[in-house]
Amino acid sequence: MKHIKSISTILILFISNSFYTQVAIGKEVIDGKSTVLDFNNTSANTKGIILPATQGLPAGSNLANGTFIFDQSDDKVKVYENNAWKSLSDKGNSSAVSGNTSDETGNGVVIGAHEGSPDGVLVLESPDKAMILPKISSPHLNVKNPYPGMICYDTDSKTFAVFDGTVWNYWK
């Protein structure tokens, strides 16, 4: 009987989690119900998200607005917005970028709703949830070895911070 209760509890937790599809990385609790992906945002955090480094701009019909990359062909962080690529940084330096030597292939991971078919390594899809960026206090001072294409939220300047391999770029 005790075994059946354990299985029932696990099934209930699994089913209830499948409705929300929220993921926490480096922490136990998601901040709010409007979050699809949340990171460890303690004051000591110095880790950001590293964007995919590409050789040139991805093309094709599966591109989704809001796609971020680090373009090694001109060393700039870019976002796909309104069906066009826009630079978020000045020319940086991609010399620190190392290629992925993994044998893994596939369409990547989708967190949230599986409604669309964008092509990406990590796809966050939700009609009513957002990603909370890793929060770092003054990344230009506290991230000792930033990687080209790193992004975070600067809690001091209250800006979106992007490292282009040379300098941090800030966006309000």
Side-chain angles (χ1 to χ4, degrees), residues 139-160:
H140 63 287
L141 298 175
N142 293 315
V143 179
K144 300 303 178 201
N145 295 306
Y147 195 81
M150 182 176 175
I151 63 172
C152 63
Y153 179 78
D154 181 357
T155 56
D156 288 343
S157 66
K158 296 182 178 27
T159 57
F160 173 69

Side-chain angles (χ1 to χ4, degrees), residues 1-119:
M1 185 70 160
K2 193 175 190 179
H3 183 61
I4 293 173
K5 280 186 178 181
S6 296
I7 291 173
S8 298
T9 303
I10 290 170
L11 285 173
I12 289 170
L13 287 172
F14 177 74
I15 290 169
S16 66
N17 280 341
S18 66
F19 290 114
Y20 293 106
T21 318
Q22 295 176 295
V23 176
I25 297 177
K27 63 192 277 182
E28 298 292 323
V29 179
I30 300 277
D31 290 338
K33 292 190 179 201
S34 62
T35 307
V36 69
L37 181 61
D38 195 4
F39 297 89
N40 181 12
N41 288 319
T42 63
S43 60
N45 182 41
T46 59
K47 308 271 190 244
I49 296 173
I50 306 296
L51 298 173
T54 62
Q55 287 290 338
L57 299 173
S61 60
N62 286 343
L63 288 175
N65 286 320
T67 299
F68 288 85
I69 62 163
F70 179 74
D71 183 359
Q72 288 182 273
S73 68
D74 62 2
D75 291 341
K76 292 183 180 181
V77 175
K78 297 180 179 172
V79 63
Y80 193 69
E81 180 181 78
N82 297 322
N83 302 316
W85 286 102
K86 296 184 180 179
S87 295
L88 292 179
S89 72
D90 295 326
K91 181 174 175 53
N93 180 358
S94 63
S95 64
V97 174
S98 59
N100 183 358
T101 58
S102 171
D103 290 335
E104 296 179 27
T105 60
N107 293 333
V109 175
V110 176
I111 298 175
H114 293 251
E115 297 168 4
S117 59
D119 189 18

